[in-house]
Amino acid sequence: MEEQKKRILLVEDDPNFGTVLKDYLMMNDYEVTHAKNGMEGFEKFKKDDFDLCILDVMMPYKDGFTLAKEIREKNTDVPIIFLTAKTMKEDVLRGYKVGADDYLNKPFDSEVLLMKIKAIIQRKATETISDSKQFEFKIGKFDLNSKLRFLRFDAGEPVKLSPKENELLRLLALHENDLMPRELALTKIWRDDNYFTSRSMDVYIAKLRKYLKLDEKVEILNIHGEGFRLVINN
Amino acid sequence: MEEQKKRILLVEDDPNFGTVLKDYLMMNDYEVTHAKNGMEGFEKFKKDDFDLCILDVMMPYKDGFTLAKEIREKNTDVPIIFLTAKTMKEDVLRGYKVGADDYLNKPFDSEVLLMKIKAIIQRKATETISDSKQFEFKIGKFDLNSKLRFLRFDAGEPVKLSPKENELLRLLALHENDLMPRELALTKIWRDDNYFTSRSMDVYIAKLRKYLKLDEKVEILNIHGEGFRLVINN
DNA sequence: CTTCTCTTTTAACCTTACATTAACAAAAAC
DNA sequence: GTTTTTGTTAATGTAAGGTTAAAAGAGAAG
């Protein structure tokens, strides 16, 4: 079976360590892009699609967490592994908040890192069955382009959607006629689950309903305690 | 937000540590079943549905890895976290091989464990559940979709069911024409068995009967002192 | 640095949905 | 005939969701 090499973005400011790690990963059949600081890391991230990011936490100018936040704004899915110099609890917790998939304490065992990489990439691969690269949806008489973030009714003037509106509608569309669990949206879009983010989400549901009113065949139904359902009647 | 408590199976042979950890998790809103060894752990696993397993590696008779293998044979999805006494590389690698989601070295920080639990359970929630089979039932002229929680008569307008109505009808449908023991519903749905939950269940039976009246061939019979029976006459 | 604009969150208030409890009637068991 | 179990309806309390508006952030432009 012909298998596409997985692409890793490695952001590590220590040139010695970075180079060694890069070479090690490449020897294990990954395609590695090495950035020497947060700034550069973000630039490279924007330019390419990666299957995984490995970020050093301690870096001058822009630390790993800040970089992760920026990356998350662009891409809610890409797995992130943090490298922390020592096991500081605050770091670990902060990492999870930003949506880390894992973290490793330096010095770490390279085989363990490989295992983690494998496990994480595999996990994503199974998750990403259908929602891989879907950015255009037909929703009744609407067209949603979630890459450009606009919603067009009946081939008319497109309305611009805010990032959150867009993500939420996209999630709903991905589950058209099916349940889109509340939890899913909260974890994928808001990455946090408390009373207020939950209310925030409800506010966005209201906004979307307003947009979608133009087509009376399209509606967002609530399933009490579970989530929402985008239905298209005919 | 009425959120169903997540259920954790904790297998830990050290009674002191096990009890403390159990209490800590329960204080943080998890429902915890504590097994004192691998054997017991597997028995409890078979009996119930868990959202997460936390397994101690070092246990007499049946170690955590062996238990994990057995669990994996029953269930390929449930997340597993290992607790290892010290960071032995072989253990870590072996853990990943068996399909661990994470591992923690004792002693560990309890807050970190909580974060990991949260992250892992959220991750699972993300993976879309689309086993339509177990959720759709034909009951006489009715269609029950117990994932979307609606009941439709004769291809007409669907009626929304409340969570309890839905679960109860689903249980009855699973035992169609057969006895559905009272106790089964009480333990599976209400997870509690006392005078009042029992009365509550009767109230729901009445509700379901009302819905099902539309098809005179469908009825819920009582078997005194035993339970109920969903029968479809022809 | 300030202002303007767009986005998101927080707050408030109201409605709907749900589960439980109580009360009483009916049926079954003994 | 008395006790226990079940059938049913209504009342209550709480939680979740709908909606709107104001506050708070964030970024761009002046």
Side-chain angles (χ1 to χ4, degrees):
Chain A
M1 204 192 292
E2 149 90 33
E3 206 155 308
Q4 182 68 32
K5 271 191 194 177
K6 298 296 179 184
R7 320 189 71 189
I8 296 178
L9 174 63
L10 169 65
V11 187
E12 166 63 64
D13 64 316
D14 177 342
N16 295 312
F17 179 64
T19 311
V20 170
L21 182 51
K22 177 184 176 181
D23 290 344
Y24 178 72
L25 291 172
M26 284 170 69
M27 273 166 44
N28 283 280
D29 269 334
Y30 293 100
E31 204 177 310
V32 183
T33 300
H34 180 198
K36 274 109 192 149
N37 60 62
M39 246 62 97
E40 192 191 334
F42 191 52
E43 290 312 311
K44 300 211 162 163
F45 179 80
K46 282 192 289 188
K47 278 211 188 62
D48 259 311
D49 284 334
F50 293 98
D51 299 291
L52 174 72
C53 301
I54 301 178
L55 314 182
D56 190 10
V57 169
M58 223 88 71
M59 287 189 298
Y61 307 123
K62 185 185 288 183
D63 70 289
F65 296 127
T66 313
L67 175 56
K69 256 187 86 177
E70 292 178 357
I71 287 178
R72 275 277 169 267
E73 275 166 28
K74 287 268 160 210
N75 184 322
T76 53
D77 287 332
V78 63
I80 297 177
I81 294 180
F82 284 114
L83 305 181
T84 61
K86 54 181 172 352
T87 173
M88 285 185 53
K89 195 180 101 188
E90 293 75 32
D91 279 7
V92 173
L93 296 181
R94 197 170 157 206
Y96 274 111
K97 269 237 168 81
V98 188
D101 282 72
D102 217 325
Y103 62 93
L104 273 177
N105 302 316
K106 290 201 248 181
F108 52 82
D109 185 284
S110 53
E111 270 188 80
V112 170
L113 174 63
L114 270 192
M115 277 313 250
K116 286 198 185 241
I117 290 175
K118 246 179 108 174
I120 286 174
I121 285 184
Q122 209 179 8
R123 192 153 64 215
K124 286 288 165 184
T126 52
E127 263 179 47
T128 314
I129 332 148
S130 59
D131 74 34
S132 52
K133 290 272 190 280
Q134 275 189 268
F135 294 104
E136 291 178 15
F137 300 90
K138 187 111 195 115
I139 304 170
K141 287 187 185 169
F142 293 97
D143 291 306
L144 168 66
N145 184 323
S146 73
K147 198 127 207 162
L148 303 175
R149 293 211 325 251
F150 67 70
L151 180 67
R152 192 176 50 190
F153 176 65
D154 210 10
E157 254 321 276
V159 177
K160 256 190 92 51
L161 297 181
S162 83
K164 288 267 194 310
E165 291 169 348
N166 175 58
E167 276 297 295
L168 186 54
L169 186 51
R170 173 164 169 273
L171 265 196
L172 285 164
L174 276 169
H175 297 253
E176 184 183 307
N177 279 321
D178 199 0
L179 170 67
M180 193 284 289
R182 231 189 150 77
E183 252 205 329
L184 181 69
L186 292 180
T187 58
K188 278 226 166 193
I189 303 178
W190 277 268
R191 312 202 148 268
D192 184 18
D193 183 356
N194 64 47
Y195 174 76
F196 281 114
T197 61
S198 179
R199 301 306 286 125
S200 187
M201 169 172 170
D202 289 329
V203 171
Y204 277 94
I205 290 287
K207 288 180 199 224
L208 291 181
R209 283 188 172 133
K210 237 176 226 170
Y211 290 134
L212 297 175
K213 257 208 294 257
L214 288 173
D215 185 345
E216 78 289 339
K217 291 194 192 310
V218 175
E219 51 185 336
I220 297 176
L221 300 183
N222 173 254
I223 299 176
H224 198 97
E226 298 284 330
F228 294 91
R229 191 154 87 92
L230 176 67
V231 298
I232 289 104
N233 305 299
N234 28 348
Chain B
M1 209 197 297
E2 125 95 57
E3 209 156 310
Q4 184 66 34
K5 274 189 192 177
K6 300 295 182 184
R7 318 186 78 191
I8 296 178
L9 174 64
L10 169 65
V11 187
E12 165 64 64
D13 65 315
D14 177 342
N16 294 313
F17 179 65
T19 310
V20 169
L21 182 52
K22 177 185 176 180
D23 290 344
Y24 178 71
L25 291 172
M26 284 170 68
M27 272 167 44
N28 283 281
D29 269 334
Y30 294 99
E31 204 179 308
V32 183
T33 300
H34 179 198
K36 274 110 192 149
N37 59 63
M39 246 63 98
E40 192 190 334
F42 191 54
E43 290 312 310
K44 300 211 162 161
F45 179 80
K46 284 191 291 188
K47 277 210 188 62
D48 259 309
D49 289 332
F50 293 98
D51 298 292
L52 174 71
C53 301
I54 301 178
L55 313 182
D56 190 9
V57 169
M58 223 87 74
M59 287 187 298
Y61 307 122
K62 187 184 287 183
D63 69 291
F65 296 128
T66 313
L67 174 57
K69 259 186 81 177
E70 292 177 358
I71 287 177
R72 274 277 168 267
E73 277 166 27
K74 286 262 160 213
N75 184 322
T76 54
D77 287 333
V78 63
I80 297 177
I81 293 180
F82 284 115
L83 303 182
T84 61
K86 53 182 180 320
T87 173
M88 287 185 54
K89 193 180 103 189
E90 295 75 32
D91 278 7
V92 173
L93 295 181
R94 195 169 159 208
Y96 275 110
K97 273 230 172 85
V98 187
D101 283 72
D102 218 323
Y103 63 91
L104 274 176
N105 302 317
K106 291 201 245 180
F108 53 82
D109 185 283
S110 52
E111 270 189 78
V112 170
L113 173 63
L114 270 193
M115 276 316 246
K116 287 198 183 240
I117 290 174
K118 238 180 118 176
I120 286 175
I121 285 184
Q122 277 188 353
R123 196 149 64 210
K124 286 290 163 185
T126 287
E127 297 170 16
T128 316
I129 332 100
S130 54
D131 292 324
S132 64
K133 296 221 163 122
Q134 285 198 271
F135 296 106
E136 291 175 11
F137 298 90
K138 187 107 194 123
I139 303 171
K141 286 188 185 169
F142 293 98
D143 291 306
L144 167 65
N145 185 323
S146 78
K147 182 182 178 193
L148 302 178
R149 288 211 328 246
F150 67 71
L151 180 67
R152 192 174 49 192
F153 177 64
D154 210 12
E157 261 311 285
V159 178
K160 288 215 255 181
L161 298 181
S162 86
K164 289 269 194 308
E165 291 168 351
N166 176 59
E167 278 297 292
L168 186 54
L169 186 51
R170 176 163 165 275
L171 263 196
L172 286 164
L174 277 170
H175 298 252
E176 185 183 304
N177 282 321
D178 199 0
L179 170 66
M180 193 283 289
R182 224 188 159 78
E183 238 208 326
L184 182 69
L186 291 180
T187 54
K188 280 242 171 195
I189 303 177
W190 277 267
R191 285 178 185 187
D192 181 20
D193 185 356
N194 64 46
Y195 172 75
F196 278 115
T197 61
S198 176
R199 300 307 290 129
S200 189
M201 169 171 169
D202 289 327
V203 170
Y204 278 95
I205 289 287
K207 288 182 199 219
L208 291 181
R209 283 186 173 134
K210 231 178 228 171
Y211 290 135
L212 297 175
K213 259 207 294 257
L214 287 172
D215 184 343
E216 77 289 338
K217 292 193 192 310
V218 175
E219 50 186 336
I220 298 176
L221 301 183
N222 174 253
I223 298 171
H224 200 92
E226 300 284 329
F228 295 91
R229 196 155 87 88
L230 175 67
V231 297
I232 289 106
N233 306 299
N234 30 348

